[in-house]
Amino acid sequence: MTISRWLKTTAMSAVLVGAGVMAGPAVAQDTLIIGYAGGHTGYLAPYDQSSLKGVQLAIEEINAAGGIGGNMPIELIVKDTRSDTAQAQVAAQELVDEGVHVMIVSCDVDPAVASGVVAQAAEIPAVSSCASTPTLPAAVGPYMFSNYTADNLQAAVLAEYAREQGYNNAYVLLSRDTPYTEKLPEYFSEAFGNMGGNVVMTGEYTMGQQDFSAEVTNITGLDPQPDVIMTSAYEPDFPAFIKQLRAAGIDTPVLGSDGIDSPTTFSLGDVSEGVVFSNAGFPSPGSSLEAYETAYEAKYGEPNDTIFTATGYDIIKVVAAAVEQAGSTDGAAIRDAWDNLEDVQVATGTMTYKGQERVPVRVVALNRVSDGLREHVGDYSPDPSQIPAP
């Protein structure tokens, strides 16, 4: 739908915010409507709620400047999927029925796909808040985009770091309950092996499992002992695992991925000290991410405590760039413009979609937990030949 056609037909007048319904201002006739079907309660809340804060900050900034291109304000409709895949589909259909032009879907790949296929059928561009499975866009269709650093890219960076540290033997812990918890460790194993490392054992767990004594016992009995432990487990599994690991006296270095970048990890005290994990950036002095964190604290009255607020902010900057380039709220026009974006300035640096099959190129940062804070290890751009194929 072009802007002029949409101007004649839109009648949207209310905005849903959070879990409840709040009467919102009448939507201006030249407004871009973005729907967010996220897990704002449930197990995805640490990620989708954080992402929502960044989304709201970006929209506030853009609207304060008159809107996209100075004349198109953004309205946001939020639906809570309760981190449930079936509800994700319902929420997405409600957003379609309410006339959204772009849809943000949940952080985990399964609910992201459930919402994404609804958006795809309606020819509405959709983007996951932080699902990092590199095959997600292809699994849904040409209207689906990723926002976050792909699992295979994170895995290659973690493997490169492990080899740099001289780690030769790795224990890898995965769960086959989600593509993220299964594939990212498998990508790590592949990259680590290709770089000369040896995976001495791959352990498995069930998501939500609180007893990791069997896995800890297995690690204790390994010969050779691993130099490093790698996992993409996140809440509540990662805290349970590392507490039991350290309680057993195993002080082997642990590598994790962006899923553990949450306030919970930094509140674990000594048990998480020294854990190195990948994410989408670090606020180095003078960086765009540092400027973002200043703006975040001004809006919310407290320091930012996770990268997922910044990557939520990034989504809106990318959407604004695509809509401005498209010159239209038509779904196909936005999709085509989005697919050709290059070097869009966002909070975490720049993002490029052109030629990337709707999976963005962006920096991978490694950070270390140090005294309950992030310590920047470095930014990595691995040799493409070392990145496992999705």
Side-chain angles (χ1 to χ4, degrees):
M1 180 184 294
T2 63
I3 289 178
S4 58
R5 182 181 168 196
W6 183 77
L7 291 175
K8 297 175 183 176
T9 58
T10 185
M12 186 67 59
S13 61
V15 178
L16 282 172
V17 178
V21 179
M22 217 167 65
V27 176
Q29 289 189 326
D30 57 350
T31 296
L32 179 80
I33 306 174
I34 298 177
Y36 193 157
H40 304 298
T41 58
Y43 77 95
L44 288 172
Y47 312 102
D48 283 344
Q49 272 197 0
S50 297
S51 175
L52 177 60
K53 286 186 174 181
V55 164
Q56 291 169 325
L57 174 56
I59 290 175
E60 182 178 288
E61 289 182 357
I62 291 171
N63 286 347
I68 298 171
N71 57 16
M72 182 186 285
I74 302 172
E75 291 285 354
L76 178 67
I77 303 175
V78 179
K79 301 283 186 182
D80 183 12
T81 68
R82 305 191 293 273
S83 302
D84 179 79
T85 298
Q87 186 59 32
Q89 192 169 30
V90 172
Q93 188 59 57
E94 290 175 354
L95 290 173
V96 169
D97 294 343
E98 293 181 38
V100 301
H101 303 109
V102 174
M103 191 183 302
I104 302 170
V105 301
S106 203
C107 193
D108 198 9
V109 65
D110 290 337
V113 169
S115 296
V117 295
V118 175
Q120 172 72 31
E123 299 185 345
I124 294 171
V127 58
S128 169
S129 57
C130 61
S132 51
T133 299
T135 54
L136 169 62
V140 174
Y143 282 83
M144 186 76 208
F145 291 82
S146 289
N147 171 60
Y148 208 76
T149 310
D151 293 343
N152 52 344
L153 181 56
Q154 291 189 64
V157 167
L158 289 164
E160 181 178 340
Y161 171 79
R163 295 299 290 145
E164 284 178 355
Q165 303 311 302
Y167 302 148
N168 295 316
N169 298 304
Y171 172 88
V172 174
L173 180 67
L174 61 80
S175 170
R176 301 198 185 279
D177 289 343
T178 74
Y180 175 80
T181 53
E182 178 183 17
K183 295 299 294 183
L184 202 158
E186 289 185 344
Y187 289 137
F188 171 84
S189 296
E190 180 179 346
F192 188 65
N194 290 340
M195 296 176 190
N198 174 43
V199 176
V200 293
M201 184 176 182
T202 299
E204 296 190 19
Y205 70 99
T206 300
M207 290 184 70
Q209 168 182 325
Q210 289 299 295
D211 181 2
F212 284 88
S213 57
E215 290 74 19
V216 170
T217 299
N218 287 337
I219 294 170
T220 304
L222 287 173
D223 183 18
Q225 276 288 290
D227 306 310
V228 65
I229 294 170
M230 186 273 162
T231 184
S232 62
Y234 55 96
E235 295 183 40
D237 309 312
F238 181 75
F241 171 65
I242 197 162
K243 285 178 182 176
Q244 293 168 50
L245 187 75
R246 297 310 189 215
I250 300 173
D251 59 1
T252 305
V254 172
L255 302 180
S257 49
D258 55 295
I260 67 167
D261 184 8
S262 78
T264 301
T265 299
F266 295 99
S267 68
L268 292 175
D270 290 344
V271 297
S272 64
E273 184 73 12
V275 170
V276 172
F277 61 91
S278 53
N279 74 0
F282 183 84
S284 302
S287 67
S288 55
L289 189 52
E290 182 189 49
Y292 163 80
E293 300 226 327
T294 299
Y296 179 95
E297 186 166 357
K299 175 175 173 57
Y300 291 107
E302 59 185 12
N304 181 37
D305 59 6
T306 173
I307 194 67
F308 295 108
T309 71
T311 53
Y313 181 96
D314 292 352
I315 290 174
I316 300 303
K317 301 296 281 189
V318 165
V319 169
V323 171
E324 186 166 6
Q325 188 162 317
S328 166
T329 58
D330 176 75
I334 296 172
R335 176 205 59 193
D336 292 345
W338 195 331
D339 210 19
N340 283 286
L341 291 176
E342 294 183 86
D343 298 325
V344 178
Q345 182 64 54
V346 296
T348 56
T350 60
M351 293 176 65
T352 290
Y353 282 88
K354 186 174 184 178
Q356 301 302 316
E357 303 295 333
R358 305 184 303 286
V359 179
V361 173
R362 58 188 309 164
V363 70
V364 180
L366 291 187
N367 300 284
R368 180 184 293 107
V369 179
S370 178
D371 293 328
L373 300 172
R374 290 175 192 80
E375 179 184 34
H376 193 209
V377 174
D379 294 331
Y380 285 72
S381 298
D383 184 336
S385 67
Q386 300 287 1
I387 302 173

